[in-house]
Amino acid sequence: MSPRKIAVIGNAGAGKTVLARRLAKLYQLPITHVDSIQFVEGMKIRPHKESIALLTEIQNQEAWIIDGYGPLDIIEKRFQLADKIVLIDFPLWRHYWWATKRQIQNLWSPRKELPPGCSELSWEHTMKLYKTIGNVHRLMRPELLRILNRNQHQGKVVVISNLSQLKRISQYGFVDGGL
């Protein structure tokens, strides 16, 4: 049976958005990029309660792919609702490298999943991005791994830790329940 609700998470620069788009196409599911909800014009953060309300509304639908974290207040509920939870967990250096490549690509092609009027092309944003990558790896990743190891999530968590796994799931989806 094909999954109807897929949560795709991982540090910045993991390839979450590319994977989520491919899975959305493979499984014919609507996709939501958390960045399109959390950010508003000028790369300002949407008020917390508004982000929670919008993401909760999406999580309560019958089918979805949600790309990214969003407020942590509701991520555990998303995990409970999901048929599949994909954690892209590459070595830290790859996240920094791919985030750097993304910043360079933004010179010619801004990310489509960001709302209009949002630009990541500033030194300030780049430094914030790098700081976020380190903080997520050091502080958030261990907690996420604990949450994902709970019995209630067994059988629906897929951890991608190398490029061949990412490529395989991008092309074929969930084969034999996992990769």
Side-chain angles (χ1 to χ4, degrees):
M1 186 160 144
S2 293
R4 302 297 302 150
K5 298 179 180 183
I6 303 171
V8 180
I9 58 171
N11 208 334
K16 296 181 301 290
T17 299
V18 172
L19 177 61
R21 284 183 181 139
R22 289 181 180 156
L23 291 173
K25 195 178 247 183
L26 260 170
Y27 292 110
Q28 310 255 314
L29 295 172
I31 185 171
T32 298
H33 305 285
V34 171
D35 285 352
S36 71
I37 290 175
Q38 275 197 293
F39 293 105
V40 295
E41 189 170 342
M43 288 301 287
K44 292 183 174 36
I45 301 289
R46 182 183 302 274
H48 188 76
K49 287 182 180 180
E50 286 180 31
S51 290
I52 287 175
L54 291 168
L55 282 166
T56 298
E57 184 179 324
I58 293 161
Q59 288 176 190
N60 289 334
Q61 294 176 5
E62 288 186 33
W64 46 257
I65 292 180
I66 299 177
D67 154 31
Y69 293 105
L72 294 179
D73 316 48
I74 61 170
I75 200 160
E76 287 195 61
K77 180 66 173 174
R78 183 178 318 147
F79 292 166
Q80 290 170 5
L81 295 169
D83 301 319
K84 288 290 181 190
I85 305 165
V86 180
L87 169 63
I88 304 177
D89 190 29
F90 289 134
L92 190 56
W93 67 266
R94 183 172 305 282
H95 293 279
Y96 281 117
W97 173 239
W98 282 6
T100 300
K101 284 175 44 178
R102 183 175 79 192
Q103 287 300 90
I104 294 168
Q105 289 170 339
N106 278 330
L107 291 168
W108 295 275
S109 178
R111 291 195 303 146
K112 294 178 180 108
E113 65 275 9
L114 290 175
C118 287
S119 173
E120 297 177 299
L121 292 177
S122 72
W123 183 250
E124 178 186 19
H125 177 78
T126 302
M127 296 316 305
K128 183 178 175 184
L129 175 63
Y130 291 155
K131 185 177 181 181
T132 298
I133 290 170
N135 286 339
V136 165
H137 185 79
R138 192 177 78 255
L139 304 172
M140 185 185 248
R141 181 180 173 272
E143 182 58 26
L144 276 172
L145 292 173
R146 275 192 289 280
I147 292 169
L148 295 176
N149 263 333
R150 292 181 184 156
N151 286 337
Q152 67 197 42
H153 302 309
Q154 297 306 305
K156 64 179 175 178
V157 176
V158 176
V159 179
I160 297 173
S161 58
N162 63 56
L163 294 179
S164 64
Q165 291 171 328
L166 181 63
K167 188 174 185 177
R168 194 172 12 193
I169 198 170
S170 292
Q171 290 179 333
Y172 305 112
F174 304 103
V175 181
D176 298 327
L179 288 172

